[in-house]
Amino acid sequence: MPDVLQLPGFVNAHSHAFQRALRGRAEGGDFWAWRETMLELARGQTPAQVRHQYAVVYAEMRAAGYTAVGEFHYLGLPEAEAAVEAAAEAGVELVLLYVAYGRGGIERFRQESVAAYLRDLERLRLSGVRVGVAPHSVRACPRDWLEELGRYAAAEGLPLHVHADEQPREIEECLAEHGLRPIELLADCGCLGPRTTVVHATHADGAELGLIRASSSRVCACPTTEANLADGFVPVERLLHRSIGLCIGSDSNVRIDPFEELRELDGIARRQSGRRDVLTVDALLSIGSDEGAASLGIDAWPEIEIDTTHPQLRGAAEPLFALVAGCSADVVL
Ligand SMILES: [Zn+2]
C-alpha cells in the first residue's frame, strides 16, 4: 500500500467563519437563544478582525482537507473583501455567497433594497470575486426580494444558496405570512433551479422535497452544526430516494472535519433506516467533494493527500472504507 492516498479535496459548501469563535461559549438554551449570542458576536465584527480570524479558520479548514469553501456572508461589503483576502492567504478556493437581508436580524446585515444588494454583488463580481446569490432565508427576505433574486441568479447563471426549514418555528411563521412552507415559497418565487442549494431542509415535508427534486436543486446538510443547534435530523434516505444531490457544510464551524460531517450523515441514514448500505463510500466521498463543487459552481479545486501510515489507517485493508468509517481529519497531510 502506498504511503499516501490522493483524493479530491473536500468542498465545504456552507460556512460562517466568524461563528468559529462561538464554540464552547454558546451552550444552553435552544436555537433561538444561540442566535442571540451569535448576533452579538456578529454585531462587533470589523474588516480587520475578519481578515485575521478568517485566515486562521480557513487555514484550519485547509489542514482538515477542505480545499474550497462557500462563505455564506452577511457581515457587509468591506468584510466580504476581507474574507476574500483571508481565503487567498490560506490557499482555499472561495465562493462568496453574498447574503441579501431585507428585514429582521441586526441593522448591519440589511441592505435598503434589492437594488442596493445587487450593486454590492456586482461590485464584488467586477473585482474578480467568485460569488453566489444568497437570500438569507424566507424570514429575512420578503417575497418581492426573493422574486428579484431568483430572476437575477437565473439570468446570470449564478449559484443561489438559501437557508430553509432548519427549525419548525421558521416554517410556522412562513405558513402564517404566506400560506406556504418555506421551500414552497422559494419555488413560487423562482428561487429553485439546478444552481440552487437549499441549506438544511431538515424539516422539509414530502411536497417540499418533491419541489427540490423537480427543479434539480440540491441540499446542503451541515450535520455537526445541526446536532449542536438541536435542529433535527437531515432526512438522508428520503433525499437519496428522490435522487436529490447532497453536499456538506461546516456551517457554524463548531467542528471542522469533513470526515465527521460525512460520518454523521451516514450514521443518521443507518439509524433512520436500520440498514448499513444506504450510502456507499463512493457516494459519501462524492457528497464531500464534487457535489459541493457543483453546488458552488466551481470545476477545479486542489486535491489532498491522506497519510496511510497514520495510526488511524495503519493496517487497514480498505483504506477508503476505513477513512470514512473511522478517521478524523488528522490523517490529512
Ligand atoms: Zn448557515
Side-chain angles (χ1 to χ4, degrees):
M1 191 166 76
D3 288 351
V4 165
L5 191 65
Q6 207 86 25
L7 284 181
F10 290 101
V11 177
N12 183 356
H14 188 75
S15 160
H16 309 280
F18 77 94
Q19 293 177 12
R20 180 78 173 138
L22 284 174
R23 68 195 192 286
R25 51 174 268 217
E27 292 310 309
D30 60 7
F31 173 90
W32 303 100
W34 170 86
R35 181 171 176 271
E36 288 307 312
T37 313
M38 182 275 286
L39 293 178
E40 264 318 299
L41 177 68
R43 196 174 272 123
Q45 297 292 304
T46 65
Q49 279 176 344
V50 167
R51 176 69 184 81
H52 173 69
Q53 289 169 10
Y54 281 33
V56 173
V57 175
Y58 293 148
E60 214 181 330
M61 286 182 194
R62 185 69 185 77
Y66 288 120
T67 61
V69 59
E71 180 67 30
F72 199 96
H73 179 87
Y74 45 65
L75 299 176
L77 190 61
E79 289 79 2
E81 287 159 348
V84 171
E85 289 177 18
E89 181 188 315
V92 171
E93 292 292 317
L94 182 86
V95 177
L96 195 80
L97 303 163
Y98 192 66
V99 171
Y101 216 107
R103 60 187 187 181
I106 54 177
E107 195 182 350
R108 69 173 294 165
F109 293 176
R110 297 192 290 261
Q111 299 88 21
E112 62 183 21
S113 63
V114 190
Y117 165 78
L118 291 175
R119 271 198 300 276
D120 284 358
L121 191 72
E122 289 286 347
R123 190 166 140 183
L124 288 164
R125 287 181 81 186
L126 281 172
S127 68
V129 177
R130 213 164 12 218
V131 298
V133 178
H136 178 275
S137 58
V138 299
R139 269 189 286 123
C141 289
R143 178 184 264 275
D144 59 330
W145 281 51
L146 293 172
E147 288 168 351
E148 181 59 26
L149 296 170
R151 207 166 22 238
Y152 178 85
E156 300 293 322
L158 289 172
L160 186 152
H161 283 223
V162 56
H163 293 120
D165 286 0
E166 180 176 10
Q167 284 278 328
R169 186 170 119 188
E170 168 205 339
I171 299 174
E172 289 154 21
E173 288 173 359
C174 190
L175 279 166
E177 182 180 1
H178 302 282
L180 295 168
R181 295 171 65 90
I183 294 169
E184 292 174 329
L185 178 65
L186 291 171
D188 219 40
C189 292
C191 283
L192 298 187
R195 291 183 204 82
T196 297
T197 297
V198 175
V199 182
H200 303 302
T202 319
H203 299 280
D205 70 7
E208 289 179 291
L209 294 180
L211 290 167
I212 293 175
R213 169 72 192 115
S215 60
S216 303
S217 300
R218 287 188 172 72
V219 167
C220 180
C222 309
T224 61
T225 294
E226 288 157 4
N228 185 264
L229 297 183
D231 287 341
F233 294 96
V234 60
V236 185
E237 203 183 14
R238 291 162 65 218
L239 292 165
L240 297 174
H241 178 68
R242 291 168 173 82
S243 305
I244 293 171
L246 196 53
C247 55
I248 54 166
S250 65
D251 196 359
S252 71
N253 294 302
V254 65
R255 189 80 176 101
I256 296 178
D257 186 329
F259 300 104
E260 195 163 326
E261 301 297 341
L262 295 174
R263 198 170 310 118
E264 280 265 344
L265 262 188
D266 192 30
I268 292 167
R270 291 179 187 214
R271 287 174 167 130
Q272 285 178 332
S273 68
R275 301 202 335 265
R276 305 180 68 235
D277 61 353
V278 179
L279 281 158
T280 64
V281 169
D282 285 349
L284 280 166
L285 291 173
S286 169
I287 287 168
S289 57
D290 31 289
E291 285 287 344
S295 159
L296 295 176
I298 56 173
D299 43 32
W301 66 103
E303 292 195 322
I304 55 168
E305 292 184 334
I306 304 294
D307 174 12
T308 57
T309 67
H310 191 282
Q312 293 182 24
L313 277 175
R314 200 183 299 142
E318 298 277 1
L320 280 184
F321 285 53
L323 203 55
V324 293
C327 288
S328 71
D330 294 346
V331 299
V332 177
L333 285 169

